[in-house]
Every structure is written in structure tokens, then in C-alpha cells.
Amino acid sequence: MSERNATAAIIGAGDFIGSEIAKKFAAEGFTVFAGRRNGDKLAPLVKEIEAGGGKIVARSLDARKEEEITAFLNEADKLAPLEVCIFNVGANVNFPILDTTERVFRKVWEMACYSGFLAGREAARLMLPRGQGNIFFTGATASLRGGRGYAAFASAKFGLRAVAQAMARELGPQNIHVAHLIIDSGVDTEWVRQRRIEALGPDALKDPDALMPPASVADAYWRLYDQPRSAWTFEMEIRPFKETW
């Protein structure tokens, strides 16, 4: 592992996708700043990365609070230049429209769209003076399609995609790579597994190629980071080869 004088901030470092992103960038020599609502849950990730010789700083972080996002990214940038910021907050919920309360709709928007705007803006504020950086956003099938029961989630993800697109057009000419990764698949997490069993029965998990491993998402983010600026991707869609679309 070659150590880099750079930090990678993961906002939404959950047990699956976020943790795999953190492990990937730590393995590539970045000092990783990992944030999630309950920072105590990051202890296993810290232990694993440090056991492999990597560097990680774990923090409790409410991404909906401007002052917390600003402090988190500033702390990372003070340790070493912030080179990568990945926004990976989820908020995937399904409610019939008449059961979608004002609180649900607003909370999902705050988590999946508003907090992404805060993260992207504050990362750009730190990167622009150096004239380089990478800001990536996790999207979903709902970023492109408002499915049944997903009015709150899809509207937030549509909004996040618009924020990312506007940022990419503005910041790209200033050497800041902004990209939006659409995960068009169920990801292999405990929550998704249980949902598949409930919907499809006990045989739903027999096919190992039906779900996307979180490590594959992390690899996709690394490929975005590793692109030459002469051929930057704004939007990448990833799905297992067996996924229908």
C-alpha cells in the first residue's frame, strides 16, 4: 500500500456500500474519513482498516446539519487535502401515496437530497482553491424512475441527480470531477435479502448473481476516480448481468 497525502470522505458509511468504499480507498493509500449517524457503529470498520495497515478517522455525523457537514469535511481537509468526497446516504422507503406523511416526505428529501447538496457544496469549497478534486453521489433506480410507492424517495433522488448534474457542469471546467453513480439493482445487504425473501419466498437467494456485492459498488467508484480528465464520466449505471432493465 502506497500512502497518499490525501483524504477521502465517505458520508453515509453504512455497514455495506459505505464500508466497502471506505475499505477500497483506504487500501489505495487514502486516509479515510467515515461518517454516519451513529459513529459507534463504525468500530468494526475502523478495526478492519487499521488491521490492514490503512488509516481511518470515524465520526458521528448527521448529514442534514450544515454545521456538522462543514466541520467533518474541514477536519478531513486539515489532516490532508480532501481529494475525494462520496455522498452515500440512503433513505430508501416505500409508502403508498396516501400513507406518505408530510414528515416522511420531508425527512427523505432532507436525507437523500438536501444533505447531498450540503456535502457537495462544502467539498467544492475546499477543492476549488487547489483546482482539483472528486465529488461523487450515490444514486438509484429511483433517480430515473418514480416507481409505485416511491414518491418520496424518487423525488429526493431525482433532486440529488439534478444537484450533481448542475455541479458537474459548473465545476468540471475547473478540474473538479463530479459524478453520479446509479445502482440499478438490489445490493447484497441484510435488509435487501429479507425483502426478497418476503416478496419471492425462501428460494429468492439461491442465485448468487441476482444481487450486487457492495464491493462491486466500491470498485465502480474507484474506476470513476481513476478516470483521466480527458474522458470523465458524469453518470455511470451499474447492474448485475442478470438484472432486467
Side-chain angles (χ1 to χ4, degrees), residues 39-224:
D40 291 341
K41 292 183 178 180
L42 290 166
L45 177 64
V46 171
K47 184 177 180 180
E48 183 175 352
I49 286 178
E50 290 182 343
K55 293 184 177 181
I56 180 172
V57 177
R59 293 286 183 265
S60 292
L61 174 67
D62 186 340
R64 299 169 299 173
K65 295 183 178 178
E66 183 177 32
E67 65 277 11
E68 291 194 24
I69 285 286
T70 301
F72 178 74
L73 294 178
N74 281 343
E75 184 183 359
D77 194 62
K78 286 178 181 176
L79 181 66
L82 180 66
E83 190 167 327
V84 182
C85 177
I86 298 177
F87 178 79
N88 184 59
V89 174
N92 186 347
V93 297
N94 182 292
F95 288 100
I97 192 64
L98 296 186
D99 295 333
T100 303
T101 64
E102 181 275 339
R103 182 179 181 274
V104 164
F105 192 92
R106 175 168 41 83
K107 185 176 179 180
V108 170
W109 173 79
E110 286 177 344
M111 293 174 65
C113 183
Y114 172 67
S115 56
F117 151 72
L118 292 176
R121 186 194 67 189
E122 292 307 303
R125 197 186 303 280
L126 295 167
M127 294 173 180
L128 278 170
R130 290 191 292 269
Q132 65 178 43
N134 302 268
I135 304 171
F136 301 149
F137 298 91
T138 298
T141 306
S143 302
L144 302 175
R145 185 176 72 221
R148 183 175 179 174
Y150 289 101
F153 184 57
S155 64
K157 282 298 185 181
F158 265 63
L160 181 68
R161 181 176 185 247
V163 170
Q165 194 173 77
M167 286 181 57
R169 290 189 164 116
E170 180 178 345
L171 300 177
Q174 300 179 74
N175 202 34
I176 308 294
H177 185 188
V178 179
H180 182 243
L181 180 69
I182 294 178
I183 305 172
D184 184 30
S185 165
V187 177
D188 193 359
T189 68
E190 186 60 32
W191 181 72
V192 170
R193 283 171 169 261
Q194 290 305 314
R195 284 187 62 188
R196 287 181 67 86
I197 290 173
E198 291 168 7
L200 303 173
D203 294 335
L205 303 179
K206 281 189 174 181
D207 186 349
D209 296 313
L211 297 176
M212 181 180 297
S216 296
V217 181
D219 286 340
Y221 269 126
W222 181 258
R223 288 195 297 274
L224 283 171

